[in-house]
Amino acid sequence: EPDRLLAPFRREAGLPKKAESYGNWENTGLDGHTAGHYLSALAFMYAATGDPEMLKRLNYMVNELAECQKANGDGYVGGVPGSKLFWAGVASGNVDMGHKWVPWYNLHKTFAGLRDACLVCGNEQAKEVLISFADWCANTVSKLSDDQMQRMLQTEHGGMNEVLADVYAITGHKKYLELAKRFDHQAILIPLEAGKDQLDGLHANTQIPKIIGFQRIAELSGDPSDRPLSSAAKFFWETVTEHRSVAIGGNGTKEFFNPAANFTSMLVNREGPESCASYNMLKLTQALFDVDPQARYFDFCERVLYNHILTTIDDHGFVYFTPMRPAHYRTYSTPDQSFWCCVGTGMENHGKYGAFIYARKPGALYVNLFIPSELNWKEQGVTLRQETKFPEEPRTHLSLKMDKPSSFTVYVRHPGWVKKGAFQIAVNAATQPDDSEPSSY
């Protein structure tokens, strides 16, 4: 019920309530975090299905958040309990986050939901609210020293650097990119830039969104001094996927990175890989692929999507942990009582499958995953239909229909689980003037 998700925002804005807040994490300190996930989920599901109910709910959520922002009067829109007093304290230099439940992490979900409503669904009101919210953020931290910022970032803060970099991409105003850099956590960044794995014992899903932000800033910045951010992100990805992940693609025990050389804790604990961590590793993987298309990135995506993400939903709820302990079980959330972080990312996950299947670059189309689908590439006047029974069968059939003459390369992922020489592409083209063939990558 949207009004129940919005209740913390109305409370903090001093507006009369329309409904009672949900319980669990939604009224015990992390109030409002689910609404941001829900907004993102609506955007992705509308893009995937075209269901007008999704867009109706998204527009309602954005409009209600705009009303709360207007009532606050300073650009703020959040459900953190005691917001006004708390954030005024932060602005004046009280950067001890210990007495609040990860407040920047909470706000990041709202930032991300507004961004997705803007970029995925073209909601202009979401864009306006997002930019005003970013201005509030800039004002709140404007008087903090670099040392105060870094002390504040010792508390989990989600992907604040990433979403502020996205505000820069949306507006073109460099002040938002500089603000994003202020949210770069140096204690994590510096070892990664040096190629050092110091992740043992760290909270996995606290770190991954930071790394996504490093990559996003490096991608958007033309400053050579920001290039090491991308090297750090790539090193982190390689470290986690090659040395810290299990067969399903997930990582961590009880939310924390176990020692890279000892996975015993994974076999004895009932709390195995966390869904949120896999959700964010998929985001990081896609971000790395966007700037450097490599088959290994989607080998990992395929592994995570089929073996972890697909298993985290049933008819009623979502999974927090997927135990690796033999003969164990998964625990699913209940609709009205469970508002864990992995319920929020769980809402988003299952509307995003289409986002991973294909990619495009100038003059190139990448077929990354073998999922039945239809792609309309309007710029090229191309419709591509993929028919497959994967993973029951190790093959797929691609049909290209072209409305006009067009020249581009089709790259089909050569999966890492297929031996060299065993991967074949057969072409049956009605018109093939240059005798070209699709390319495997």
Side-chain angles (χ1 to χ4, degrees):
E1 297 176 45
D3 284 332
R4 295 191 70 181
L5 293 175
L6 289 160
F9 297 87
R10 294 187 67 85
R11 180 196 68 216
E12 296 304 312
L15 295 172
K17 61 183 178 182
K18 294 184 176 182
E20 296 292 337
S21 292
Y22 281 110
N24 191 240
W25 290 18
E26 275 296 314
N27 71 355
T28 56
L30 206 57
D31 311 31
H33 78 112
T34 307
H37 286 296
Y38 180 65
L39 195 52
S40 293
L42 290 170
F44 298 137
M45 195 60 77
Y46 177 68
T49 66
D51 184 345
E53 178 64 20
M54 301 295 170
L55 186 61
K56 178 182 175 182
R57 285 174 175 243
L58 180 142
N59 291 338
Y60 178 79
M61 291 284 293
V62 171
N63 190 65
E64 288 290 302
L65 291 173
E67 184 180 346
C68 293
Q69 187 178 64
K70 183 178 179 180
N72 283 317
D74 57 0
Y76 178 71
V77 53
V80 176
S83 286
K84 283 184 169 56
L85 185 62
F86 172 73
W87 292 114
V90 172
S92 65
N94 183 4
V95 295
D96 177 17
M97 304 276 113
H99 61 292
K100 288 289 182 183
W101 191 352
V102 292
W104 282 116
Y105 169 96
N106 187 338
L107 295 194
H108 168 250
K109 309 313 165 194
T110 306
F111 270 105
L114 291 165
R115 174 202 59 199
D116 294 333
C118 165
L119 294 180
V120 178
C121 293
N123 187 300
E124 285 297 315
Q125 188 177 35
K127 178 180 177 180
E128 294 171 7
V129 176
L130 174 64
I131 294 170
S132 294
F133 198 11
D135 289 337
W136 168 85
C137 176
N139 291 332
T140 299
V141 304
S142 62
K143 295 180 181 179
L144 300 183
S145 67
D146 289 343
D147 178 66
Q148 287 174 317
M149 285 292 299
Q150 291 304 309
R151 283 194 286 126
M152 185 171 69
L153 297 180
Q154 292 173 9
T155 299
E156 186 175 9
H157 50 276
M160 284 299 301
N161 53 355
E162 178 218 6
V163 79
L164 291 168
D166 285 334
V167 176
Y168 163 66
I170 290 168
T171 64
H173 298 318
K174 201 155 188 177
K175 65 179 182 178
Y176 299 115
L177 185 61
E178 296 306 313
L179 179 60
K181 293 179 185 180
R182 296 208 74 195
F183 279 87
D184 282 343
H185 190 194
Q186 298 300 318
I188 297 300
L189 175 60
I190 291 172
L192 294 174
E193 286 182 332
K196 297 179 180 179
D197 176 1
Q198 297 181 355
L199 300 176
D200 282 3
L202 294 184
H203 187 270
N205 198 52
T206 295
Q207 316 314 323
I208 305 169
K210 301 173 188 176
I211 314 304
I212 298 169
F214 297 161
Q215 177 60 28
R216 185 61 171 149
I217 291 170
E219 179 185 353
L220 293 173
S221 173
D223 189 341
S225 66
D226 290 327
R227 290 174 187 163
L229 290 166
S230 185
S231 299
K234 187 175 180 180
F235 174 77
F236 176 89
W237 184 90
E238 290 172 344
T239 297
V240 172
T241 60
E242 295 175 14
H243 304 294
R244 295 183 171 276
S245 298
V246 291
I248 65 171
N251 61 76
T253 305
K254 292 187 173 181
E255 298 191 1
F256 293 83
F257 284 123
N258 52 273
N262 186 352
F263 279 73
T264 303
S265 62
M266 190 79 76
L267 297 177
V268 298
N269 280 286
R270 66 186 179 92
E271 297 173 352
E274 181 187 6
S275 300
C276 282
S278 287
Y279 159 94
N280 276 310
M281 282 303 296
L282 286 171
K283 284 190 66 175
L284 176 59
T285 305
Q286 190 172 24
L288 291 169
F289 176 90
D290 284 345
V291 297
D292 183 21
Q294 294 186 34
R296 63 177 181 149
Y297 291 132
F298 275 93
D299 282 346
F300 177 74
C301 281
E302 180 179 78
R303 180 176 161 194
V304 177
L305 285 174
Y306 279 90
N307 298 295
H308 194 188
I309 299 301
L310 272 172
T311 73
T312 61
I313 186 172
D314 72 356
D315 291 344
H316 304 292
F318 304 98
V319 172
Y320 197 150
F321 298 105
T322 299
M324 295 290 101
R325 188 163 72 174
H328 205 66
Y329 54 86
R330 288 186 291 271
T331 300
Y332 290 84
S333 63
T334 56
D336 294 329
Q337 299 300 323
S338 309
F339 289 89
W340 320 317
C341 52
C342 294
V343 171
T345 53
M347 291 180 184
E348 296 183 43
N349 277 328
H350 306 284
K352 294 177 70 175
Y353 294 110
F356 296 101
I357 304 172
Y358 307 103
R360 64 174 184 241
K361 304 284 183 183
L365 174 66
Y366 290 82
V367 180
N368 298 316
L369 295 176
F370 310 120
I371 297 176
S373 51
E374 185 171 284
L375 172 71
N376 294 309
W377 192 8
K378 295 179 181 178
E379 295 87 345
Q380 295 284 149
V382 170
T383 300
L384 184 149
R385 184 174 181 82
Q386 181 172 186
E387 298 173 78
T388 180
K389 294 181 180 179
F390 180 82
E392 280 73 28
E393 295 181 357
R395 60 180 58 85
T396 191
H397 183 268
L398 306 174
S399 302
L400 277 170
K401 180 182 178 182
M402 303 174 68
D403 298 333
K404 58 184 179 182
S406 183
S407 178
F408 57 94
T409 303
V410 177
Y411 292 94
V412 182
R413 178 173 62 94
H414 182 160
W417 42 265
V418 176
K419 295 180 180 179
K420 291 182 179 180
F423 182 82
Q424 299 176 340
I425 297 177
V427 179
N428 181 11
T431 304
Q432 196 174 346
D434 58 357
D435 295 324
S436 62
E437 289 190 1
S439 302
S440 63
Y441 78 94

